[in-house]
Amino acid sequence: MFSDVNGTFNVIPTSLKWMSVLKNDSLSLPFPPPTSERAKQQQQGEKSTTSTMTKGTGSFGKRRNKTHVLCVRCGRRSFHLQKSRCGSCGYPSARIRKYNWSVKAIRRKTTGTGRMRYLRHLPRRFKTNFREGTEAAPRKKAAATTA
């Protein structure tokens, strides 16, 4: 029994007698006290300084698998490996992927934006009616000497 400030006597219940033992400095605790800074912050009620996982910058470091590789038809990195389809040209479909809701995309890929290895020479060949295998006629020498 002990008396408090008012002079009343209280009895310590037997279930709480172990607390008086813990208050004694000579006895050690059955478990080591928390010493990490995180545990100290939790005891003091502070917020931890470690950030939680977000959808932004931290998640981009986890990306290491390739979904798209180079397409053999258009050469862009748009061929989806699991779908086995190019997102740009539609390969292996026979028709080139083209939608009217994207006029700028059509403008980028239309005829005249590449090398045109065959079409480039057609207007010149058309003038001579597509003749082949003949030799050009010699030009007049008079026009060359007067200049």
Side-chain angles (χ1 to χ4, degrees):
M1 288 206 283
F2 63 93
S3 63
D4 61 358
V5 179
N6 297 334
T8 58
F9 291 98
N10 293 325
V11 178
I12 299 175
T14 55
S15 61
L16 298 178
K17 282 187 178 177
W18 63 272
M19 291 181 75
S20 62
V21 174
L22 289 179
K23 289 179 183 176
N24 189 353
D25 292 332
S26 63
L27 295 175
S28 63
L29 296 174
F31 49 87
T35 55
S36 66
E37 290 188 22
R38 186 178 176 115
K40 289 178 185 176
Q41 289 173 352
Q42 287 176 351
Q43 285 178 351
Q44 296 171 0
E46 298 176 14
K47 288 187 176 180
S48 65
T49 56
T50 57
S51 63
T52 58
M53 179 60 91
T54 59
K55 293 187 284 186
T57 308
S59 300
F60 283 87
K62 307 238 180 245
R63 298 184 177 189
R64 59 180 195 84
N65 296 328
K66 288 186 179 178
T67 53
H68 293 90
V69 293
L70 292 179
C71 174
V72 294
R73 181 158 73 182
C74 66
R76 297 189 62 180
R77 192 182 166 198
S78 304
F79 188 79
H80 198 282
L81 286 171
Q82 289 185 338
K83 292 182 185 177
S84 296
R85 182 151 309 258
C86 178
S88 178
C89 70
Y91 180 83
S93 174
R95 296 182 184 182
I96 296 285
R97 178 183 174 274
K98 177 178 83 83
Y99 293 103
N100 289 330
W101 48 257
S102 181
V103 179
K104 282 174 111 175
I106 296 174
R107 199 185 314 150
R108 288 185 207 112
K109 296 191 265 188
T110 192
T111 308
T113 57
R115 285 175 61 182
M116 292 197 337
R117 286 172 281 192
Y118 177 77
L119 272 177
R120 169 175 60 195
H121 304 293
L122 279 184
R124 175 175 39 85
R125 290 176 57 215
F126 175 75
K127 290 177 190 174
T128 60
N129 204 13
F130 297 97
R131 71 169 180 232
E132 289 180 340
T134 59
E135 199 171 315
R139 298 187 178 194
K140 294 180 180 177
K141 293 182 180 180
T145 56
T146 57

